[in-house]
Every structure is written in structure tokens, then in C-alpha cells.
Amino acid sequence: MTLRIGIDLGGTKTEIVALDMADQVRLRRRAPTPGDYNGILEMMAGLVRQAEEELGTTASLGIGIPGSLSPASGLVRNANTQCLNGRALDADLAARLGRPVRVSNDANCLALSEAADGAGAGYGVVFAVILGTGCGGGVVVDGRLLEGLNRVGGEWGHTPLPWMTAAEFPGPRCWCGLPGCLETFLCGPALAADWRGEGQRDATGITAAAAAGDAAAEA
């Protein structure tokens, strides 16, 4: 049996899935994302080894990350999981697992998947958005990923919030160093902080609270 393993590396959680050649899911599980680089490498390597042991075969491996590999250096940059920045993630994980590892931006992976056989199938232009620990986007035109020269063609999280009100301007300072990025308003931790106060990061209860009449959640 030939398998393909994909890993979605998120800022809060990481998910692994193993697909057979008929695109049937053979295994899927999640794990919390560690806060340090070596911990992330060991966590991903452990997930792969455990999956392959359970399934009894070795698989190819691809990873979607909240950032991208620089075409110039091959190192991760623009990742809101900041311990990844400046690191050769693909090479470091390949050394642990003894096989090639393909790495791409998570929103680009999402856009390509949805354009191929998901919600965007049959459309000429597909724009896909990830709203999670960060805020990312990907664009597919006529079935081809539009990455741009720096592999950030679809990213919109670090563009300024449009039509800011006086109360919103200049906006919170983003981890990238600039104020007012869309990510500082729309990512999960930003919504949680806006709802429940500074330091809050879990926004999962906002919709239920709004439905129950919580004025702050509704806002």
C-alpha cells in the first residue's frame, strides 16, 4: 500500500492525515503545537513515525505551515509561529525522518485543494482564507497557484485594515512590526482579546455567546 501523509502545522494545534492512493483517509489525529522549534520538529517526527507504525508502511510527506520558504535562502519567514522563522524546516525534518519533505504555505495548500475538488472546483479564480491563530490567504487562477516571486502572492493578513475609523486607527501593533494589519483584528487570539480582554486567546465561544445575547460577543 502506498500512502501520502500531510501535516497541517498550526500555531495552536497540529493535525496529521494519511491518505491512500484512492484519497481515502486511513488515519487522522491532532496534537498541541509546542512553543519551541525543536519541540515542533520532534512532535511532527513523532506523529509521522507513529502513523507509519500503525499503518505498516512508509509514506511521502508534505507540510503546510503558517509562513513560507524564502526562494532566496530556503528558510522560513513570515510565520506567525515565530520560532519557525529563519529555520530550514524542510531540511531539518528530512534529516530526522530520512526522506524528502515538501513544505508550502498552509493557505496556499487550502486554496489549491478547494480549487481542485472543493468549494472552488470549476471556478477560474479561487481565493481561500485561513482564520486561526493567524490570518492567511491563497489565490489559484485557472488551476495554478499564484505565489508571486516571494511565495506570498495570496497573503492578505499583513495588509492594513481598510477604512479604519478614528477609534481603530492606527491599529494594534502586529508581530511583524507594523500597526493595523488585518491579522491583528481578525485572527482568533485578536478576536478573543477584543471580546474578553487583553491576554485572552481562545475565541471558540464567541458565536455561541453572541447567540445567547452577549453584547460584547455580538459586537
Side-chain angles (χ1 to χ4, degrees):
M1 179 174 61
T2 302
L3 291 180
R4 295 161 294 160
I5 285 178
I7 294 178
D8 178 22
L9 175 61
T12 304
K13 60 184 178 296
T14 296
E15 185 163 357
I16 184 173
V17 62
L19 300 176
D20 61 23
M21 297 311 291
D23 291 334
Q24 297 302 303
V25 175
R26 303 300 301 269
L27 177 145
R28 175 178 290 186
R29 60 174 51 101
R30 285 182 174 182
T33 301
D36 65 288
Y37 182 67
N38 286 327
I40 288 174
L41 288 176
E42 288 304 314
M43 178 268 299
M44 289 195 294
L47 286 173
V48 171
R49 293 187 186 111
Q50 185 179 21
E52 292 179 337
E53 183 177 348
E54 290 184 26
L55 296 169
T57 188
T58 301
S60 61
L61 178 60
I63 304 172
I65 66 169
S68 59
L69 297 181
S70 166
S73 68
L75 306 180
V76 178
R77 80 275 200 267
N78 199 40
N80 62 2
T81 303
Q82 295 177 53
C83 64
L84 300 177
N85 289 322
R87 302 283 194 159
L89 179 66
D90 53 348
D92 291 342
L93 188 56
R96 280 170 165 77
L97 292 172
R99 80 195 70 168
V101 176
R102 299 185 69 181
V103 173
S104 187
N105 175 260
D106 52 5
N108 284 346
C109 293
L110 170 65
L112 199 57
S113 176
E114 292 296 342
D117 57 8
Y123 290 91
V125 178
V126 176
F127 175 50
V129 167
I130 290 178
L131 296 177
T133 306
C135 176
V139 179
V140 173
V141 179
D142 294 332
R144 297 179 63 86
L145 194 61
L146 192 68
E147 289 188 296
L149 291 177
N150 292 301
R151 296 180 180 161
V152 292
E155 291 298 345
W156 69 309
H158 294 284
T159 56
L161 182 74
W163 307 298
M164 281 188 180
T165 66
E168 291 166 338
F169 185 82
R173 185 158 295 277
C174 182
W175 61 267
C176 76
L178 298 175
C181 291
L182 278 168
E183 184 164 302
T184 66
F185 291 90
L186 297 181
C187 72
L191 291 173
D194 197 27
W195 173 34
R196 285 183 162 169
E198 187 175 351
Q200 298 296 315
R201 295 183 58 82
D202 186 358
T204 55
I206 285 182
T207 53
D214 182 320
E218 288 179 1

